[in-house]
Amino acid sequence: MAKPPRFISQGSQGKKAAGSHDDGTAPEEPAPVEGAEAAAEKHPVDRSLPPLKLATTGLQHVAAMYAGVVAPPLVIGAAVGLSVTELTFLTGASLFMAGIATLLQTLGVWKIGARLPFVNGVTFASVAPMLAINKSEGPENALPVIFGATMVAGALGFVVAPWFSKLVRFFPPVVTGTVITLIGISLMPVAFNWAQGGNEQDPHYGDGKNIAMAAVTLVIVLLLRRFTRGFLKQIAVLLGLVVGTLIAIPVGITDFAALQQADVIGFPTPFHFGAPQFALAAIVSMCVVMLVSMTESTADMLALGEIVDKPSDEKTIAAGLRADTLGSFVSPFFNGFMCSAFAQNIGLVAMTRIRSRFVVAAGGGLLVLMGLCPLAAALIATVPQPVLGGAGVVLFGSVAASGIQTLVKAGLDRDNNVLIVAVSLAVGIIPITAPEFYHAFPESAKIILDSGISTGCVTAIVLNLVFNHIGKRREADEVTAPMEPGGEIPHQREPAAEAGAEAGAAATPAPAPR
């Protein structure tokens, strides 16, 4: 009998043929016997959707990531004293480059791009060192120095990506589950900040109407997920954002000022803020951020691979890191910043189960258009922050839930694994629960320590090696080597199983010696 395809079990093949795919694609017609296996081998990640579904589900990804893309340029632009016009230009450049990096990541070119539903944008990890560069270099030179340092960091990351990807062997389920859970937990403060209004300087930050609006949006999304089916259920977040925005208009928290000031067409002129400058201290700090960003991207790719049932291997991670770093290298040419994975969109994939990478590619195309059409970008910007916060609770909570599902495979009945998870989670949530915990450390150290995902990830890797590998005897019931993501932990066979195996062996010819 032919071996069943890797991603579709024998028991589910008939069910898949009769119903629709969980990624929103139409049901397939029964294929001839000789072609059935070839058709089934096409993973949902590589299947496209009809144009309308591509556009709407891609827009849903854009809505989920928009605030994260525009926040860094707004912070940096304000710090260097840009005018409103120049600030709009800088934001448009970040949207444009986020779209280019996302297309590169999802569609891929040569050995570049993970070819997963992976969204890229400006990493917030680079904000702190960029503000430090602004302080040391002065507002007049800050952006050229930042762009020069980002280019060098991107080139370095591209070169080391193949070696960096080899870290995947140190990510068994006990590590990947911990990291995925940390990603979700680390994103929750973002949702809570949005729910309060998004701007701590606003006098209405944390008002009851903001939190109530977030709660209303959350309830709308939950009701849509509970009582709708098919495509409407898959775009519940997008519908929740639209309905929430409409409700927010009479409440008085929807701002249309951006629409009035936005131009219809705009292009990020190369080196608009001056030719890049190269300062050693800035280069070193941005290279450190690049390594941190690559660590987080590796964790994100492992998480996404688990969620879409296509585990990320060393080759996939190397290609994904090349896309990240190449996007970061090219970004300064068009006045953009360092590009990295956006973990919040992993939650959207986990919740909707729409696994097609072409959906995210459609979102990348929309980001490019928004970068070229400020008016379109301003339309997305009208979604109030509290509305985003309500949807974010669902999205980011879904990531944490996916991490818990992965931890189920990790053998938590073992004391060693329980300790690994407990300590790693504790270390990872320090920047969340005690933001000033590392206040006495040097700024260079805080770049790493303030990233709970990075510190928790490193802690889990080290503890896994210490408890499960170093000094352990090679026994069948012990984890004796790093496993591939999603791999099962080997267990000793039960005596009954041994007896059954021996009986079966007596009835079948012995295999030929190797």
Side-chain angles (χ1 to χ4, degrees):
M1 188 174 78
K3 183 179 179 181
R6 178 180 178 187
F7 297 104
I8 302 180
S9 64
Q10 287 174 307
S12 62
Q13 288 182 29
K15 184 178 179 180
K16 282 286 184 185
S20 61
H21 298 300
D22 59 358
D23 63 343
T25 55
E28 297 176 357
E29 295 294 331
V33 174
E34 63 273 11
E37 186 171 352
E41 287 178 353
K42 192 171 185 180
H43 195 277
V45 167
D46 298 315
R47 297 175 187 156
S48 186
L49 273 66
L52 179 60
K53 290 185 178 181
L54 273 179
T56 52
T57 51
L59 181 60
Q60 189 169 236
H61 275 281
V62 172
M65 73 176 293
Y66 180 86
V69 175
V70 301
L74 289 176
V75 172
I76 300 303
V80 300
L82 296 183
S83 65
V84 175
T85 303
E86 290 178 327
L87 198 58
T88 303
F89 179 91
L90 192 67
T91 303
S94 294
L95 290 167
F96 177 78
M97 282 312 306
I100 295 296
T102 298
L103 290 172
L104 191 63
Q105 191 69 267
T106 52
L107 302 181
V109 177
W110 183 58
K111 296 181 180 180
I112 301 170
R115 293 170 174 82
L116 289 171
F118 210 40
V119 174
N120 277 48
V122 182
T123 172
F124 212 89
S126 63
V127 171
M130 287 193 293
L131 290 174
I133 292 171
N134 173 60
K135 186 176 180 179
S136 62
E137 298 292 335
E140 64 280 357
N141 295 321
L143 287 177
V145 171
I146 288 171
F147 293 149
T150 301
M151 291 171 65
V152 175
L156 173 68
F158 188 87
V159 171
V160 304
W163 290 276
F164 201 92
S165 66
K166 296 183 184 298
L167 294 175
V168 68
R169 62 198 177 102
F170 297 111
F171 285 85
V174 69
V175 175
T176 55
T178 302
V179 173
I180 296 169
T181 304
L182 269 177
I183 291 172
I185 294 173
S186 298
L187 288 171
M188 291 310 297
V190 177
F192 300 150
N193 179 53
W194 289 347
Q196 295 177 87
N199 181 11
E200 295 183 7
Q201 308 303 320
D202 192 318
H204 299 292
Y205 182 77
D207 274 2
K209 65 179 181 181
N210 287 341
I211 296 175
M213 198 64 246
V216 168
T217 305
L218 173 60
V219 170
I220 291 171
V221 173
L222 293 176
L223 290 175
L224 288 170
R225 290 289 298 177
R226 173 63 181 85
F227 295 107
T228 59
R229 301 181 63 184
F231 183 56
L232 290 179
K233 184 175 183 178
Q234 292 171 340
I235 62 169
V237 173
L238 180 61
L239 294 176
L241 293 174
V242 172
V243 175
T245 302
L246 293 176
I247 295 174
I249 294 175
V251 175
I253 61 174
T254 305
D255 186 4
F256 295 100
L259 284 173
Q260 300 171 356
Q261 301 174 3
D263 295 327
V264 177
I265 298 175
F267 183 80
T269 310
F271 300 129
H272 176 80
F273 297 99
Q277 300 177 22
F278 303 94
L280 181 59
I283 290 173
V284 171
S285 65
M286 294 303 287
C287 285
V288 171
V289 174
M290 176 58 72
L291 294 176
V292 173
S293 175
M294 291 172 72
T295 302
E296 293 189 359
S297 288
T298 299
D300 289 342
M301 277 184 270
L302 291 170
L304 188 59
E306 291 287 331
I307 289 170
V308 301
D309 300 322
K310 190 175 183 181
S312 298
D313 56 16
E314 185 178 314
K315 181 180 177 182
T316 301
I317 290 175
L321 292 177
R322 288 192 188 99
D324 274 4
T325 53
L326 180 60
S328 296
F329 175 77
V330 175
S331 187
F333 286 87
F334 298 96
N335 315 284
F337 301 115
M338 187 179 292
C339 296
S340 182
F342 264 48
Q344 49 261 54
N345 291 76
I346 297 176
L348 191 56
V349 175
M351 191 189 75
T352 64
R353 298 299 297 167
I354 300 177
R355 297 182 279 178
S356 172
R357 60 190 173 100
F358 298 103
V359 166
V360 177
L366 290 173
L367 287 169
V368 172
L369 291 177
M370 289 166 65
L372 299 176
C373 178
L375 185 63
L379 182 62
I380 299 294
T382 58
V383 178
Q385 296 282 295
V387 173
L388 282 174
V393 170
V394 180
L395 297 180
F396 306 156
S398 297
V399 178
S402 297
I404 295 171
Q405 289 176 333
T406 304
L407 285 174
V408 171
K409 307 178 191 176
L412 293 185
D413 54 325
R414 302 184 181 194
D415 290 341
N416 286 351
N417 287 345
V418 171
L419 284 174
I420 292 169
V421 174
V423 176
S424 301
L425 287 177
V427 171
I429 64 175
I430 286 175
I432 302 171
T433 57
E436 300 300 320
F437 189 84
Y438 301 112
H439 75 277
F441 284 68
E443 289 296 326
S444 56
K446 287 197 288 185
I447 292 174
I448 300 173
L449 296 174
D450 282 342
S451 170
I453 297 173
S454 296
T455 54
C457 178
V458 172
T459 302
I461 291 172
V462 172
L463 291 180
N464 178 59
L465 291 174
V466 170
F467 280 96
N468 289 333
H469 301 288
I470 297 175
K472 285 284 186 179
R473 291 182 301 154
R474 291 185 170 273
E475 298 176 354
D477 62 343
E478 294 288 350
V479 182
T480 56
M483 299 181 296
E484 290 296 323
E488 296 293 340
I489 296 177
H491 295 280
Q492 284 185 327
R493 302 175 69 184
E494 297 294 334
E498 294 283 357
E502 290 176 3
T508 56
R514 293 182 180 177

